[in-house]
């Protein structure tokens, strides 16, 4: 299967499942190299209490939505679980938990990724933006408003991932045509097939030059 032109494999993407397995195992061994406290006393240990009884927990500093969070995590914790279970950022959804649906899409250093496929410790020092970070002062981001105007959802479960991905598609310059939008959004699945509204919303947001 050929990859869409907008596909940008992350630097740390495993080339095959067995390598992913290896990386999960090796991450635990090497985590100590990456998770040294970055902010010293300035960082607040928000989740240490949650993992206080976990002998495998390590200290992990994550920059999420322009705020650094000092967490205590099992090194095998995915970024998705760190966001949802430790930071109470529930916008990113767990759908398939294996990289097939896109419901967990967030932005890392400006690139959209499936947060279920990356470990939290692999994102130390990177800028993570979730759907909660796209809003400013409680106002909808223009692309969120466009999704509402164009009925780009039904149940809404996939919508935060759709919006994050749509934001990146426009920023990448891959929203020139409906066909290109469809292809570059193909990693985000909508159970209710609201694709007509989604494409309309992205087209509208593109034309508004978000
Ligand atoms: Fe991550 Fe489906 S939950 S791709």
């Amino acid at each position: 299967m050929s990859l869409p032109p907008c596909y940008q494999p992350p630097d740390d993407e495993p080339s095959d499942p067995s390598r992913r397995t290896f990386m999960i195992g090796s991450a635990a061994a090497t985590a100590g190299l990456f998770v040294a406290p970055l902010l010293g006393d300035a960082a607040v240990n928000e989740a240490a209490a949650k993992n206080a009884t976990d002998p495998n927990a390590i200290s992990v500093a994550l920059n999420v939505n322009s705020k650094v969070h000092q967490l205590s995590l099992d090194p095998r914790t995915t970024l998705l679980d760190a966001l949802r279970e430790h930071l109470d950022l529930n916008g990113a959804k767990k759908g398939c938990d294996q990289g097939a649906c896109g419901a967990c899409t967030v932005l890392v250093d400006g690139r959209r990724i499936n947060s279920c496929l990356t470990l939290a410790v692999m994102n130390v020092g990177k800028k993570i933006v979730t759907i909660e970070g796209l809003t400013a002062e409680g106002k909808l981001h223009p692309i969120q408003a466009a999704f509402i105007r164009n009925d780009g959802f039904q149940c809404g479960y996939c919508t935060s991932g759709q919006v994050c991905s749509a934001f990146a598609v426009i920023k990448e310059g891959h929203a020139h045509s409906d066909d290109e939008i469809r292809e570059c959004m193909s990693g985000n699945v909508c159970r209710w097939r609201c694709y007509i509204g989604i494409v309309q919303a992205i087209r509208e947001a593109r034309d508004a030059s978000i």
Side-chain angles (χ1 to χ4, degrees), residues 91-129:
K93 298 293 188 292
K94 184 178 286 189
C96 64
D97 206 21
Q98 53 185 315
C101 73
C104 63
T105 303
V106 299
L107 306 173
V108 174
D109 285 345
R111 299 167 68 181
R112 51 199 168 125
I113 66 164
N114 292 327
S115 58
C116 70
L117 290 186
T118 182
L119 299 176
V121 297
M122 298 167 75
N123 293 279
V124 171
K126 300 180 181 180
K127 293 183 178 179
I128 301 159
V129 177

Side-chain angles (χ1 to χ4, degrees), residues 141-209:
H141 187 277
I143 204 163
Q144 290 175 302
F147 266 67
I148 293 173
R149 277 193 299 274
N150 292 278
D151 289 331
F153 57 89
Q154 185 159 319
C155 74
Y157 193 81
C158 69
T159 306
S160 55
Q162 298 276 2
V163 169
C164 284
S165 200
F167 175 87
V169 165
I170 295 172
K171 294 295 184 188
E172 292 163 7
H174 288 121
H176 294 107
S177 66
D178 287 3
D179 282 347
E180 189 177 33
I181 292 171
R182 276 191 282 269
E183 184 161 9
C184 291
M185 289 292 293
S186 60
N188 291 82
V189 177
C190 173
R191 173 66 179 81
W192 298 103
R193 305 174 70 181
C194 298
Y195 298 116
I196 293 175
I198 290 170
V199 172
Q200 286 176 346
I202 296 173
R203 191 195 311 138
E204 185 179 297
R206 174 203 64 194
D207 293 343
S209 300

